[in-house]
Amino acid sequence: MHLPIRLTKESREPIYHQIENQIKALISSGQLKTGSPLPSIRALSKDLETSVITIRRAYQDLEYQGFIKTTQGKGTFVAEIEDATKEKVKVDAVYKALEAAIETALRHDYTPIEVEQIFHTIIANYKNKEE
Amino acid sequence: MAPSIECKNVRVENEDFALGPVSLSFEPGTISALVGKNGTGKSTFFKLLMNLVSPTEGDITINGQSILGENEAWKQRISYQPQTLKGMDSFTGKELKKLISNYYPTWDEDLFTKMINQFGIPLSKPYGKLSQGVQKQLNLALTIPRDTEVLLLDEPTAHMDIPTKQILMNILVEWMERGDKIMLIASHEIEDIRKLADYLVLFQEGKIVGNYVKEELAAQYKQYWLEHPLSSQPLPGEIARNGDRVIISNHPEKTESFLLTEKQRWLNAEVLDLEEIITIVLNHERKGEPI
């Protein structure tokens, strides 16, 4: 089983964290349903070209937070999670993406007010498309 | 019991070669790639682990038992695939399998059959009549199914065609999932290292440069494209320079904080490819420069 995970080596976000967040997103968005199997630690390590040490850490965090469960001898599966948790993952992901965009703008010496204007322009475009 | 290998201060020295002191341990469930130029001691290290070469100093233990003593029970828990095998030319694959499988109580006939089928190896041809690549495949099919706790592979994918390499990689990954296995691979193939290794043990002229978690080593090196040309003064963390606007650092944090205080901006920062990093580390050590 192959997971659509993309690692960004340039990112400041540690690799185990990237893996963790992307699996959370796959689960919260319903792309990975309750009970579906996850790749073994070794198989994911080969796919992502990352050591098992890092994958293990991501899986442990996910298990601790209740997103996945491991059954001895059977493998790792998506756990049943509450809608509130799913919602929180979505909200977090969107906030994070917007924060990253704002940071990029600030790094290019835009002021917060200018960033706001850019945001309004972009959102206006999307609104137009919807209509 | 989960296996473990420990080398304490191991040193070997003869007229033409010296290796060590090596202090390394390997944990169950992990694959370590031994990486270094030709003749830097990787194969000798394997021979030490098999007690085919005796250390001048130090001790090696497998599951806490020294391999240097009289008791040779450890030999059934470890298998080793050397780069080349001698004295096998007149035997067929079938005969070799019979010899080897008898020695290992853990021999897995199903895995052997699977490997023979996947590789497509003729078992009734004498070993000496097989091509180099097929000989390698047969060696692997005679080694991996021993299913010992520890597996040492010396350049397993050398002379192997691309599809066969993929088959082997999948076999090795599946093999690791059988439980608490330790695999050590000496390899020059960057693909093996990327896909299989958890740890990289870098060898340089009979010394161990370091033992790194793969992505931790990768994160240590960054290349920066700077906005303005640099003065000739080396920057903190800088280990190499390309023209006057591109530098490579092995302490990205130090370099970045220096650039920030100098108000020197970078247009791009990029993590280096594993192959480039290995080249840098191995070349630097040769010149005796600290990295």
Side-chain angles (χ1 to χ4, degrees), chain A:
Chain A
M1 118 133 272
H2 189 82
L3 292 183
I5 293 179
R6 259 243 160 93
L7 300 179
T8 321
K9 293 201 171 113
E10 267 68 36
S11 168
R12 277 176 198 283
E13 189 182 8
I15 292 176
Y16 75 89
H17 220 237
Q18 294 183 37
I19 297 169
E20 201 183 308
N21 283 337
Q22 291 185 42
I23 292 179
K24 273 187 197 171
L26 289 169
I27 294 174
S28 302
S29 63
Q31 290 176 63
L32 283 177
K33 300 208 160 37
T34 306
S36 40
L38 287 169
S40 70
I41 291 176
R42 175 58 66 188
L44 191 57
S45 141
K46 173 175 174 270
D47 280 351
L48 300 181
E49 303 186 346
T50 302
S51 74
V52 291
I53 298 115
T54 296
I55 309 281
R56 204 180 289 141
R57 182 159 179 193
Y59 272 26
Q60 274 166 358
D61 286 355
L62 287 166
E63 180 141 25
Y64 181 74
Q65 293 165 52
F67 284 87
I68 61 173
K69 55 175 189 287
T70 302
T71 317
Q72 198 64 41
K74 282 191 180 157
T76 305
F77 301 90
V78 175
E80 196 158 343
I81 55 165
E82 290 173 15
D83 288 344
T85 317
K86 285 185 190 169
E87 196 57 34
K88 192 179 174 302
V89 172
K90 274 186 212 170
V91 172
D92 283 353
V94 173
Y95 266 78
K96 228 185 233 163
L98 287 176
E99 271 166 13
I102 293 168
E103 265 170 40
T104 306
L106 296 179
R107 260 207 310 275
H108 286 90
D109 290 339
Y110 283 91
T111 65
I113 292 170
E114 285 168 327
V115 177
E116 207 174 349
Q117 284 163 352
I118 297 172
F119 178 78
H120 284 301
T121 315
I122 296 172
I123 210 83
N125 278 341
Y126 275 91
K127 280 181 183 163
N128 282 339
K129 269 186 219 159
E130 270 182 23
E131 284 159 14

Side-chain angles (χ1 to χ4, degrees), chain B residues 165-176:
Chain B
K165 268 185 204 168
Q166 294 302 324
I167 295 172
L168 176 64
M169 258 188 229
N170 290 331
I171 289 170
L172 293 178
V173 163
E174 280 171 31
W175 186 82
M176 282 305 288

Side-chain angles (χ1 to χ4, degrees), chain B residues 202 204 209 212 217 221 276-286 291:
Chain B
L202 301 187
Q204 183 65 305
V209 182
Y212 310 88
L217 177 68
Y221 291 83
E276 291 174 283
I277 295 171
I278 290 169
T279 306
I280 289 173
V281 176
L282 296 184
N283 281 338
H284 266 260
E285 280 298 298
R286 187 184 47 177
I291 47 163

